[in-house]
Amino acid sequence: CASCHGENGVSVSAEFPHLAGQSGAAIYKQLHDYRTGSRTNQLMTDLAKALDEPVIADVAAYYAAQPQRRPIPATLAESPPAIVQLVELGDPARNIPPCAACHRPGSGGPIETPILSEQQREYLVLQLRMYASGERRNDVYARMRAIAAKLTPSEIDGLAGYYRAGFR
């Protein structure tokens, strides 16, 4: 795990997500989904299939216990107002709920929902594009597929930049 995600859950590579500060439930779900084939990535699928349930739980608990990453100094003025609106209010006209409703710590969203703050920008862009195309399908009730399919490429880029900057 450490070779891609860092010993303390902070990845040095933009293609791998940070795990530090995620809930154990979020990490467990992703590992379980890789193991069962609900989520696919050749490297992660093979690794997760080699783990049994207690080891998956231990890995999830280990990374969930790591201290959260340090945010990159930023101000809301650096984010376009339309992006801040998507995060905070969503876009009711397009039936897009606010990102913060699920992805902000303590938001009351589903327990398995990852926290996006301080995550790798490139990773977020890739995941949103995969949800939008239907290539990634391990979202409960197809929530993220429905939402991401309504986002424009510039909104995807803007949201990834917003969260990379450490906004919550």
Side-chain angles (χ1 to χ4, degrees):
C1 302
S3 64
C4 295
H5 298 285
E7 184 176 335
N8 295 319
V10 178
S11 175
V12 295
S13 174
E15 66 183 297
F16 305 116
H18 298 308
L19 300 180
Q22 295 294 337
S23 72
I27 297 167
Y28 180 90
K29 179 188 183 312
Q30 297 310 310
L31 285 170
H32 183 268
D33 287 355
Y34 281 126
R35 186 167 184 248
T36 63
S38 296
R39 182 174 180 188
T40 59
N41 171 286
Q42 192 59 53
L43 175 64
M44 284 303 303
T45 298
D46 291 345
L47 289 170
K49 283 183 176 181
L51 304 175
D52 59 19
E53 291 294 323
V55 173
I56 289 175
D58 287 346
V59 168
Y62 172 81
Y63 280 115
Q66 300 307 307
Q68 199 155 10
R69 302 161 304 282
R70 303 230 181 240
I72 298 167
T75 65
L76 282 176
E78 295 173 4
S79 278
I83 297 301
V84 175
Q85 180 174 334
L86 276 174
V87 171
E88 298 297 331
L89 303 173
D91 186 345
R94 293 189 291 162
N95 200 26
I96 298 175
C99 305
C102 294
H103 293 285
R104 179 175 285 149
S107 67
I111 190 170
E112 75 281 354
T113 304
I115 295 169
L116 301 181
S117 181
E118 304 163 34
Q119 195 55 265
Q120 304 280 22
R121 183 185 183 287
E122 295 83 352
Y123 177 78
L124 290 175
V125 167
L126 177 63
Q127 298 312 306
L128 283 169
R129 287 180 182 162
M130 288 172 52
Y131 275 128
S133 72
E135 185 178 345
R136 182 168 172 188
R137 327 176 284 289
N138 73 318
D139 51 330
V140 177
Y141 307 120
R143 286 182 196 123
M144 283 306 305
R145 285 175 279 175
I147 294 165
K150 296 173 188 171
L151 298 173
T152 67
S154 65
E155 288 171 332
I156 287 173
D157 289 341
L159 289 168
Y162 175 94
Y163 280 110
R164 174 64 186 126
F167 295 120
R168 297 180 191 274

